[in-house]
Amino acid sequence: MTERPSTHPRAGKKPPTIYEVARLAGVSHQTVSRFLRKDPAMRPDTTRRVAQAVAELGYRPNLAARTMRTRRSNRIAVILPGSMERMPSRVLSGAAAAAHEAGYLLDVVSLEGDAAARATRLEALLQPESADGILSFAPLGKSTGGFALSDIRVPMVVEGAYDDSMRAQGAFADASVAAEIMRHLAEWGHRRFIHVTGPLEWASARARRAVYEATIEELGLESLAVVEGDWSPGAGWTAATEVIAGSGATAVFAASDAVAFGVITGLQSLGIDVPRKVSVFGWNDEELGRYFRPTLSTVSVDQERQGREAVRRLLGLLRGEPPTGQLEAADFNRIILRESTGPAPTRTV
């Protein structure tokens, strides 16, 4: 069977150039470049004409040529925790979408090992022109050997880690909503609490613990224990069977939904009813929590928006733009009440 030749007007032709786009739109090629850089100062009518020309010609920026001209790679290195299950896919999806819209590609690297090992791996990634910027969702050590994060000259945004020179920003490390959780439980009559943390090398885990402890003191409540966990159901199970059961606590604030699942299952294995005897609160609004029994009270996090916000701040650094106002934790987080929490019992476990 003989193939029929394509009738598309550009079939068999070379890809359109920026100059063809400019001619069709009736503007200079410099104006098209401004459009591709998303210059906010462009007039709306000009933006519309260039956008129509780009769409009509099917123009795609030549990233390789742009790299030769600007000595930029048009790549962002995204550093993820060694355990991928700790990195919500929706955060990465939002980051990738925002980067793509700005003309950047993401190189995703998973860091294994402790903080020092991660810093060593990061140093190896920072070869000349390998990336225009770095976005890290993993906690990074202050230094290892002769290498210090403060020596990095590539623009970098670190989400979820603190050190002397870089502070976690935005809702990744902001745990202010934890105070709302504690107040809500206190209004239900709870007075004796236990907190099961995430790994304390993570700023988010440290922040949730700090807000928990501050709110306990502010409201005159009693913290019976702070148990260090590792984001896993196993940590919650161990805390439930070895610390919570028999402690007299009526409410548990778990640093993640996974930990909360372990707490609930551990308590149930001992015949302790949730929430009639002990209320349990999680964090992250994992899908399983909607079908778990009891369904899990939690903090819903707009993870895609977090990813976009992280890339937005990194792009600002790359463009040399002054820092803009950051979104507050309330813009990302909201409490969801379900079956795992209720009024404090009249008799404790």
Side-chain angles (χ1 to χ4, degrees):
M1 181 177 179
T2 303
E3 288 188 5
R4 299 178 62 183
S6 171
T7 58
H8 191 281
R10 296 201 59 85
K13 296 183 179 181
K14 293 182 179 180
T17 68
I18 193 172
Y19 298 98
E20 292 177 87
V21 174
R23 282 196 295 271
L24 183 59
V27 298
S28 68
H29 72 276
Q30 292 94 336
T31 298
V32 178
S33 294
R34 290 175 56 204
F35 169 83
L36 297 174
R37 294 196 305 270
K38 301 184 184 301
D39 186 344
M42 285 187 64
R43 295 172 55 185
D45 179 63
T46 303
T47 299
R48 179 185 55 78
R49 297 204 321 270
V50 176
Q52 288 178 343
V54 166
E56 182 174 336
L57 294 174
Y59 175 76
R60 295 291 181 272
N62 186 331
L63 294 183
R66 189 190 303 178
T67 297
M68 293 289 291
R69 293 192 303 271
T70 66
R71 295 186 180 181
R72 287 184 173 272
S73 67
N74 290 99
R75 292 180 178 273
I76 293 172
V78 177
I79 312 301
L80 300 186
S83 175
M84 294 294 291
E85 65 184 20
R86 297 180 182 177
M87 180 65 200
S89 61
R90 286 175 291 171
V91 174
L92 188 57
S93 175
H100 177 74
E101 290 166 6
Y104 285 85
L105 300 177
L106 295 188
D107 290 328
V108 179
V109 179
S110 176
L111 294 188
E112 306 287 346
D114 59 16
R118 290 193 293 272
T120 301
R121 173 65 174 144
L122 176 63
E123 181 180 18
L125 294 173
L126 297 178
Q127 300 304 317
E129 300 182 359
S130 63
D132 295 337
I134 297 172
L135 174 58
S136 179
F137 292 109
L140 303 174
K142 296 178 183 178
S143 65
T144 179
F147 167 65
L149 293 181
S150 58
D151 295 333
I152 294 176
R153 296 296 177 259
V154 178
M156 177 162 56
V157 167
V158 179
E159 293 284 9
Y162 284 105
D163 64 40
D164 290 341
S165 60
M166 292 174 295
R167 307 292 289 184
Q169 301 179 44
F172 273 86
D174 191 323
S176 56
V177 72
E180 186 179 345
I181 291 172
M182 300 295 290
R183 292 189 186 97
H184 179 79
L185 291 170
E187 289 172 358
W188 259 345
H190 293 278
R191 292 294 178 268
R192 292 181 294 277
F193 291 78
I194 286 179
H195 176 44
V196 187
T197 78
L200 294 179
E201 66 180 44
W202 287 72
S204 55
R206 296 197 302 274
R208 290 167 202 178
R209 182 188 64 175
V211 174
Y212 164 82
E213 293 174 336
T215 309
I216 286 283
E217 182 175 355
E218 175 190 342
L219 300 181
L221 306 173
E222 183 179 2
S223 176
L224 301 182
V226 173
V227 183
E228 185 173 352
D230 60 7
W231 300 131
S232 73
W237 175 284
T238 299
T241 56
E242 296 183 2
V243 180
I244 300 169
S247 67
T250 66
V252 176
F253 168 38
S256 75
D257 282 0
V259 174
F261 296 147
V263 169
I264 293 173
T265 306
L267 292 175
Q268 289 174 337
S269 73
L270 299 175
I272 299 173
D273 186 272
V274 177
R276 281 199 314 115
K277 293 298 183 182
V278 180
S279 288
V280 179
F281 224 108
W283 191 299
N284 276 339
D285 192 21
E286 294 185 16
E287 185 175 8
L288 176 60
R290 305 168 202 175
Y291 306 100
F292 202 77
R293 285 296 176 265
T295 56
L296 184 63
S297 293
T298 187
V299 177
S300 176
V301 181
D302 189 340
Q303 296 167 343
E304 183 170 343
R305 191 176 184 186
Q306 283 186 330
R308 283 183 169 275
E309 172 68 6
V311 169
R312 183 191 68 78
R313 293 195 295 109
L314 179 58
L315 292 175
L317 291 177
L318 292 173
R319 296 164 178 163
E321 298 170 353
T324 58
Q326 293 183 18
L327 299 176
E328 301 295 330
D331 296 311
F332 295 96
N333 304 328
R334 63 186 177 89
I335 286 179
I336 296 179
L337 297 176
R338 297 195 180 110
E339 299 169 349
S340 67
T341 53
T346 54
R347 299 178 65 182
T348 61
V349 297

